[in-house]
Amino acid sequence: MEHHEEKPKRTSRRNFLGQALTAAGTAIAAPTLLNQATAAKEARSMQSPEGEMAITLMVNGEKRSLTIEPRVTLLDALRERLELPGSKKGCDHGQCGACTVLVDGQRVYSCLSLAVMQEGKQIVTVEGLAKGDVLHPVQAAFIDNDGFQCGYCTPGQICASVALLDEIKRGCASAVTPDLTRTPQLAELSEAEIKERLSGNLCRCSAYNGIVAAVQQAAGQTPPSAAATMMVTEAQEMPV
């Protein structure tokens, strides 16, 4: 049996030069590519930490940029990131209304709303209602009618009241609106209507009489004085 020995393949001059140039090019390019990859990774880590995303919110007429996790609520973004502590964290479950803000003119529980979902919307907090030193009419009415005691729920109450008045102007009815065939009017807004529309905002101090009176004043009505209310109450409690 004959055994044929394989002869080693001869490398041509052209192949040798090609391999040499490829090796040299790789050696030259590798450090540059490595530096570029490292720089890109560092830039990404500086712009957006892992698990976070960059968003821009329009708050009180001003664009505010921040980088947050998608799970951050609007309330925490306002208080902890944008330093707007007016909106209060009460129950953190959407039950007390202390965190109420306005989003595109509608009242929203900011503790139940994700900040990342508010891009492109107009957000107004209690800090954005006044025009410089001039208070919003609802803010002034709360002061005139003692619509608060400790004041913790007051920012949410005020924002909800501003939304309430706008809802009436848009013709929105409530569960106790007496006549659904005609548009509700601010001048005819009853005490029962105000209480129903503000039922999502709780006051642990029970300053409800002052809150209702404040809304009546802001609606253009003449609210009963606190002294008159006290006199009626005392007269009813007096023994016959």
Side-chain angles (χ1 to χ4, degrees):
M1 178 179 285
E2 295 183 359
H3 298 279
H4 298 281
E5 295 182 359
E6 295 184 359
K7 297 182 179 179
K9 295 181 179 180
R10 299 181 61 185
T11 302
S12 66
R13 182 171 180 272
R14 177 179 297 175
N15 290 339
F16 173 78
L17 290 175
Q19 294 173 359
L21 291 174
T22 300
T26 302
I28 295 172
T32 303
L33 294 175
L34 182 61
N35 291 337
Q36 291 176 351
T38 302
K41 183 177 180 181
E42 291 178 351
R44 286 196 301 270
S45 64
M46 291 177 62
Q47 294 176 358
S48 179
E50 186 176 357
E52 297 189 350
M53 58 188 300
I55 65 171
T56 301
L57 299 179
M58 180 65 73
V59 183
N60 299 329
E62 179 182 353
K63 286 186 177 181
R64 304 292 298 272
S65 299
L66 63 162
T67 303
I68 58 174
E69 292 182 344
R71 63 180 177 177
V72 173
T73 64
L74 177 59
L75 176 61
D76 287 339
L78 293 172
R79 289 180 56 85
E80 309 298 335
R81 304 299 182 90
L82 300 182
E83 298 182 351
L84 294 170
S87 306
K88 297 296 186 282
K89 179 177 287 191
C91 65
D92 209 25
H93 287 80
Q95 297 175 346
C96 71
C99 66
T100 303
V101 299
L102 304 178
V103 178
D104 285 345
Q106 298 187 8
R107 56 179 115 177
V108 169
Y109 290 157
S110 59
C111 75
L112 296 184
S113 305
L114 296 177
V116 296
M117 297 178 66
Q118 312 308 319
E119 282 196 290
K121 300 179 181 180
Q122 297 288 335
I123 302 167
V124 178
T125 69
V126 70
E127 291 94 341
L129 292 175
K131 303 299 182 183
D133 294 332
V134 180
L135 295 177
H136 188 281
V138 173
Q139 291 175 306
F142 265 71
I143 294 174
D144 293 341
N145 294 277
D146 292 330
F148 51 87
Q149 284 191 32
C150 77
Y152 194 82
C153 73
T154 304
Q157 298 277 4
I158 289 176
C159 287
S161 298
V162 171
L164 182 159
L165 298 176
D166 288 340
E167 289 164 5
I168 295 295
K169 293 176 183 177
R170 295 198 306 269
C172 300
S174 77
V176 297
T177 299
D179 187 357
L180 298 180
T181 63
R182 55 190 298 269
T183 303
Q185 302 295 319
L186 288 176
E188 302 172 1
L189 193 61
S190 66
E191 182 176 328
E193 187 91 40
I194 296 172
K195 290 180 178 179
E196 168 63 23
R197 291 176 183 266
L198 289 180
S199 59
N201 291 75
L202 305 181
C203 175
R204 294 184 179 183
C205 301
S206 296
Y208 294 114
N209 289 339
I211 293 171
V212 171
V215 175
Q216 290 174 324
Q217 176 177 313
Q221 301 180 15
T222 302
S225 67
T229 302
M230 288 295 297
M231 291 176 65
V232 171
T233 302
E234 291 177 356
Q236 292 175 347
E237 294 177 350
M238 290 179 62
V240 178

